[in-house]
Amino acid sequence: MTQLQFKDAFWCKEFTFHTGYEVLIQRLLDGRKMCKDVEDLLRQRAQAEERYGKELIQIARKAGGQTEINTLKTAFERLKQQIESVGNAHVQLAVMLKDELKGIEEFRERQKEQRKKYESAMERLQKSKLSHYKRTMESKKTYEQKCKEADEAEQSFERTSASGNQKQTEKSQNKAKQCRDAANEAENVYKQNIEQLDKVRTEWEQEHIKTCEVFQLQECDRITILRNSLWVHCNQLSMQCVKDDELYEEVRVSLENCVVESDIDYFIKTKMTGTQPPDAIGYENYYSREPNRCNSSPTQSCGMMKRLSGLLHASSKNNTGSATPSAPPLAEKTDGVYASIFVNEEAGITSQDYRALYDYTAQNVDELDISEGDIVVVIEENEDGWWTAERNGQRGFVPGSYLEKL
């Protein structure tokens, strides 16, 4: 298919009109505006991509998830990493769009400079053509007027000659000759102006053809540049979508490795507190316990007295001996009656953690072995110096002076 040419389609039959050239100039101005519209689109898109990317990065960095465990935590961390990667990719896309925008701006300015050069030449030739045209039309009008005057003078001469008046005839003849000479001179001026006008017209036509060719080339370049720019823009967006999907696919793979049972098992193994529930609280009849309480009271009193005396004894020894505290003296075994004497008055007592300062070996069944550095829970601080403590599920009496509060 033969391409149409600007130089063959933008002429005007009126000699003084330049409608074709004006249409071309308007087209180039419209093309320049289109370049600016594309620039605005790319600029706004770049700003949106940059803003979106930075917001994604901020969201990813502020996201929590530290309380989660095992595979779900791994998947969530992967999601945060990929969101930040997507944000960085969109920021990079914004940079690419700005580079493309800069290229269009430079292209538009180059076309403007080139167009201005040809516009100046065309304006100069158009003004010259109009000026010569005006001068030619004035000389034509003078030539025609002189011709009319010469014709009238010659007709007057002929009429005078027919009358036979010699003097009048000579006068009419001289006038007719002068008018004809003036007509001939006007004709020569008119012909000279026609030649000059034709010369200017030829120069204008050549410049018009050259300008049309340059303007058509500019228009082809502009359409090509904008088409390629929009094509690249669409490719960049498509590639960004593909890249986003690839990044999120890694998250989906990580989620496939998220196993509910595995997370539950991990939580149980790392945070388990026990495998058995507490025993049921049995019913105890007050009256059925009364005899036992009466029988055990003397023993308890005896045990308490022994511990009290032991503390007094240890206190006197500490005043006179070494600075290391001494445990109360061993209580004498009394036929197995001196058994565990835990007092059932634990309600409302606040337990506290203590560290053992010294080793102590239990001397009675109701006492508790401790080693230096052991952490025990003190259940009750008795006034006799023997405290009720618990360690590793075992409970018994230990010397309070052997313990240090944490």
Side-chain angles (χ1 to χ4, degrees):
M1 179 180 178
T2 303
Q3 183 180 3
L4 299 177
Q5 301 293 323
F6 284 3
K7 63 182 181 181
D8 300 328
F10 292 99
W11 297 101
C12 184
K13 296 298 292 182
E14 293 293 333
F15 191 86
T16 58
F17 290 170
H18 309 102
T19 306
Y21 174 76
E22 293 171 355
V23 169
L24 289 178
I25 289 296
Q26 186 60 48
R27 176 57 185 168
L28 295 183
L29 294 177
D30 292 342
R32 178 178 173 84
K33 184 178 183 304
M34 178 61 182
C35 287
K36 291 183 177 180
D37 292 341
V38 174
E39 291 169 16
D40 290 339
L41 183 145
L42 294 179
R43 183 180 297 106
Q44 294 179 18
R45 183 59 189 260
Q47 292 173 352
E49 291 291 339
E50 183 176 11
R51 184 168 55 251
Y52 175 64
K54 289 182 177 179
E55 289 180 354
L56 284 181
I57 294 173
Q58 187 176 13
I59 290 171
R61 292 179 178 177
K62 288 185 176 181
Q66 287 78 12
T67 58
E68 192 50 64
I69 59 173
N70 212 30
T71 59
L72 182 57
K73 181 176 182 179
T74 302
F76 187 72
E77 292 297 325
R78 172 65 66 180
L79 175 61
K80 291 196 297 182
Q81 293 174 3
Q82 301 307 70
I83 289 177
E84 184 170 354
S85 298
V86 170
N88 289 326
H90 281 274
V91 172
Q92 184 62 33
L93 175 60
V95 174
M96 298 170 62
L97 293 176
K98 289 179 181 178
D99 292 340
E100 188 70 23
L101 168 64
K102 185 177 179 181
I104 296 177
E105 290 176 344
E106 294 175 351
F107 169 76
R108 174 170 55 82
E109 291 302 319
R110 288 196 304 270
Q111 281 207 330
K112 178 183 176 181
E113 295 299 324
Q114 187 180 27
R115 186 183 74 250
K116 286 294 183 182
K117 181 174 66 174
Y118 283 91
E119 282 182 0
S120 299
M122 285 297 294
E123 288 176 1
R124 177 179 55 81
L125 289 175
Q126 286 172 356
K127 288 180 180 180
S128 178
K129 186 184 74 166
L130 291 177
S131 176
H132 280 80
Y133 175 79
K134 183 179 180 180
R135 188 182 305 117
T136 301
M137 292 300 101
E138 290 176 351
S139 64
K140 178 183 178 182
K141 185 177 180 180
T142 301
Y143 162 70
E144 291 175 349
Q145 183 65 32
K146 294 297 181 180
C147 287
K148 288 180 182 180
E149 291 177 356
D151 290 344
E152 290 176 357
E154 289 175 353
Q155 292 175 2
S156 176
F157 169 70
E158 290 176 358
R159 287 192 300 269
T160 303
S161 297
S163 65
N165 188 337
Q166 187 65 28
K167 184 178 180 179
Q168 191 68 27
T169 299
E170 291 178 359
K171 185 177 179 180
S172 295
Q173 185 179 8
N174 291 333
K175 183 178 179 180
K177 185 175 181 303
Q178 290 176 357
C179 288
R180 180 54 60 186
D181 291 341
N184 291 335
E185 184 178 356
E187 182 181 12
N188 291 332
V189 172
Y190 176 47
K191 287 181 179 180
Q192 290 176 359
N193 289 335
I194 286 293
E195 291 177 358
Q196 291 179 0
L197 179 60
D198 189 65
K199 182 179 179 180
V200 171
R201 181 193 62 80
T202 302
E203 185 179 358
W204 170 81
E205 284 184 359
Q206 292 175 353
E207 188 66 25
H208 180 80
I209 292 173
K210 186 190 301 183
T211 301
C212 287
E213 291 175 347
V214 171
F215 284 1
Q216 184 166 357
L217 182 61
Q218 274 199 340
E219 191 65 5
C220 290
D221 290 344
R222 183 189 67 84
I223 295 174
T224 301
I225 288 293
L226 293 184
R227 182 196 64 179
N228 292 344
S229 177
L230 296 177
W231 196 301
V232 169
H233 178 60
C234 293
N235 287 342
Q236 289 172 339
L237 298 181
S238 297
M239 291 174 61
Q240 185 61 47
C241 292
V242 172
K243 188 172 183 179
D244 290 353
D245 186 68
E246 290 176 353
L247 293 174
Y248 289 128
E249 180 63 24
E250 295 184 16
V251 179
R252 287 190 286 268
V253 172
S254 179
L255 289 172
E256 289 177 355
N257 296 327
C258 177
V259 181
V260 177
E261 294 79 4
S262 176
D263 283 12
I264 296 297
D265 292 346
Y266 179 83
F267 171 71
I268 292 175
K269 291 178 180 179
T270 57
K271 300 295 182 179
M272 64 182 302
T273 59
T275 59
Q276 297 294 332
D279 295 334
I281 305 300
Y283 169 74
E284 296 182 6
N285 189 290
Y286 177 80
Y287 296 100
S288 63
R289 292 186 305 158
E290 195 66 27
N292 294 333
R293 291 179 59 195
C294 295
N295 294 333
S296 62
S297 294
T299 306
Q300 288 184 0
S301 300
C302 179
M304 290 297 182
M305 290 301 295
K306 289 181 179 181
R307 288 189 174 86
L308 180 58
S309 62
L311 285 175
L312 293 175
H313 177 71
S315 176
S316 61
K317 289 179 63 179
N318 290 338
N319 292 335
T320 59
S322 64
T324 303
S326 300
L330 297 177
E332 298 180 359
K333 296 184 180 296
T334 56
D335 299 329
V337 177
Y338 191 75
S340 177
I341 59 170
F342 298 131
V343 180
N344 293 326
E345 295 177 356
E346 296 175 3
I349 297 176
T350 303
S351 61
Q352 297 183 2
D353 293 338
Y354 283 74
R355 179 188 289 108
L357 298 175
Y358 314 100
D359 297 338
Y360 177 74
T361 303
Q363 304 298 317
N364 296 294
V365 294
D366 60 338
E367 294 177 355
L368 181 66
D369 289 330
I370 59 175
S371 300
E372 181 181 355
D374 285 349
I375 304 300
V376 299
V377 178
V378 174
I379 306 301
E380 183 179 4
E381 299 179 6
N382 301 313
E383 295 181 356
D384 61 353
W386 289 89
W387 293 359
T388 305
E390 181 176 339
R391 180 178 62 81
N392 298 332
Q394 297 181 356
R395 183 178 298 187
F397 290 107
V398 296
S401 58
Y402 277 50
L403 303 179
E404 177 187 42
K405 186 175 181 181
L406 295 179

